[in-house]
Structure formats: structure tokens, C-alpha cells
């Protein structure tokens, strides 16, 4: 009996379930998990580089991130599952490290750095791939989510524009490295 590989939808549902479960735990515990956020240049918060994208500061924060992270994940999965996991790990680590090194002294958490990384990748990678179906994804993402670009500006003190900026840049870098889709 062979074990079947998870579909793109199953991966997105799993991501949704993990982030939602963590939000529920965080909500009922009075946001106790937020101690695992990134606090720049504090070695005790290095683990936040990997953990913080899955935590949110409020229910509203969670609700504003869950749809785009799931939608962009599904779009990125069109490049193949191994590519999705590689690009996701790259974006999480590079964005988190840059925020930890260069961010202002505040707690940084939430999926928006990952979302901006996916946005950067999806915006560029389709055109670099030269595949019509992937170019269409780039066009759709640019058309419907192009206004996200303004989120990299330091307009509100309670928003980690650093995560947005470094996420976008790491997404661009990932597109330059991994734009060609895997052989299916």
C-alpha cells in the first residue's frame, strides 16, 4: 500500500490549520505565545525568526493575514511542492534574520513578512519562468494585490514595515534563484 502525496489544497489547509490552532492557543492564553516574536538583536529571541510568522498580535491581525497567506501559498505551489517549501523556508529565514539584525527595537510577529515574500516571488517569478500559466499568476497577483507595495513604507508605528520590506526583498531574491518551475 503506497502513501499518496498531499495535494496543494491539502498543504494549504494544513497551513491554515496550524496558524489557526496557534491563534486559538494564543487567544485563550492571553497572547502568551507572542513571547516568541522577533525582538531585534536580542539573542533570546532568535527563535522568533522561525516561529514569529505563525503568530499574530490580535484576532484582527490573524484575520487580515490568513487569507493572503493561504491564497499566495496555493499560487506558489504551482511551481511544485519542493519549490514551495524551499522558497517558504528561504523567505522565513532571510526575512526573519534581516528583521532581527536591522529592525527597530519592537516585537515583530505575524505572517505578513511571509506574505510579502510570496508577493515578491509571485510578482516576478512568473515572468522569469516564461510559462504562460505562471505569467498569468504574476499578472493576477500584481493586479489584485499591487497596492501592497505601500506596506513597505514606515507609515504606522505598530506595523512591522521592516518585515514587509525584507519579506518583499527576500521574495524577489527567491524568484531570481528559483523562478524556473520544477518538472512535474
Amino acid at each position: 500500500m503506497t502513501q499518496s502525496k498531499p495535494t496543494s489544497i491539502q498543504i494549504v489547509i494544513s497551513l491554515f490549520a496550524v496558524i489557526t490552532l496557534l491563534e486559538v492557543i494564543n487567544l485563550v492564553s492571553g497572547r502568551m505565545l507572542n513571547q516568541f516574536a522577533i525582538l531585534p538583536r536580542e539573542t533570546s529571541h532568535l527563535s522568533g525568526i522561525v516561529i514569529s510568522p505563525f503568530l499574530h498580535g490580535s484576532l484582527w491581525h490573524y484575520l487580515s493575514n490568513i487569507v493572503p497567506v493561504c491564497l499566495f501559498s496555493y499560487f506558489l505551489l504551482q511551481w511544485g511542492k519542493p519549490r514551495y517549501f524551499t522558497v517558504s523556508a528561504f523567505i522565513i529565514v532571510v526575512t526573519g534574520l534581516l528583521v532581527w539584525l536591522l529592525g527597530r527595537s519592537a516585537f515583530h510577529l505575524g505572517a505578513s513578512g511571509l506574505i510579502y515574500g510570496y508577493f515578491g516571488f509571485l510578482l516576478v517569478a512568473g515572468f522569469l519562468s516564461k510559462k504562460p500559466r505562471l505569467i498569468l499568476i504574476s499578472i493576477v497577483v500584481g493586479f489584485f494585490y499591487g497596492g501592497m507595495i505601500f506596506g513597505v513604507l514606515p507609515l504606522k508605528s505598530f506595523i512591522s514595515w521592516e518585515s514587509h520590506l525584507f519579506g518583499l526583498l527576500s521574495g524577489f531574491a527567491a524568484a531570481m534563484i528559483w523562478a524556473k518551475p520544477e518538472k512535474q
Side-chain angles (χ1 to χ4, degrees), residues 36-56:
F36 299 107
I38 296 171
L39 186 57
R41 295 164 299 285
E42 293 290 333
T43 54
S44 62
H45 287 266
L46 276 168
S47 63
I49 290 170
V50 175
I51 298 168
S52 67
F54 305 100
L55 303 173
H56 292 88

Side-chain angles (χ1 to χ4, degrees), residues 50-182:
V50 175
I51 298 168
S52 67
F54 305 100
L55 303 173
H56 292 88
S58 68
L59 185 58
W60 177 250
H61 188 206
Y62 158 82
L63 291 171
S64 66
N65 279 339
I66 195 66
V67 171
V69 78
C70 289
L71 180 64
F72 287 178
S73 288
Y74 182 77
F75 285 158
L76 182 54
L77 279 158
Q78 305 316 298
W79 271 261
K81 292 175 196 84
R83 182 71 38 86
Y84 167 76
F85 289 111
T86 301
V87 168
S88 296
F90 178 84
I91 290 169
I92 289 169
V93 170
V94 171
T95 300
L97 242 148
L98 289 171
V99 169
W100 188 85
L101 288 169
L102 305 171
R104 70 197 133 105
S105 186
F107 286 99
H108 299 262
L109 71 162
S112 56
L114 182 59
I115 291 166
Y116 270 81
Y118 287 166
F119 173 70
F121 180 89
L122 293 168
L123 206 57
V124 174
F127 294 104
L128 294 176
S129 76
K130 299 182 176 128
K131 298 217 176 264
R133 157 177 87 85
L134 300 178
I135 292 170
L136 181 61
I137 291 173
S138 290
I139 292 168
V140 166
V141 166
F143 182 78
F144 287 104
Y145 287 92
M148 283 179 54
I149 200 75
F150 296 107
V152 303
L153 301 173
L155 300 176
K156 296 180 181 173
S157 62
F158 59 89
I159 293 177
S160 178
W161 62 270
E162 298 97 326
S163 292
H164 297 180
L165 175 63
F166 296 137
L168 183 67
L169 295 175
S170 67
F172 288 157
M176 298 299 181
I177 299 167
W178 293 293
K180 292 194 188 315
E182 294 173 343

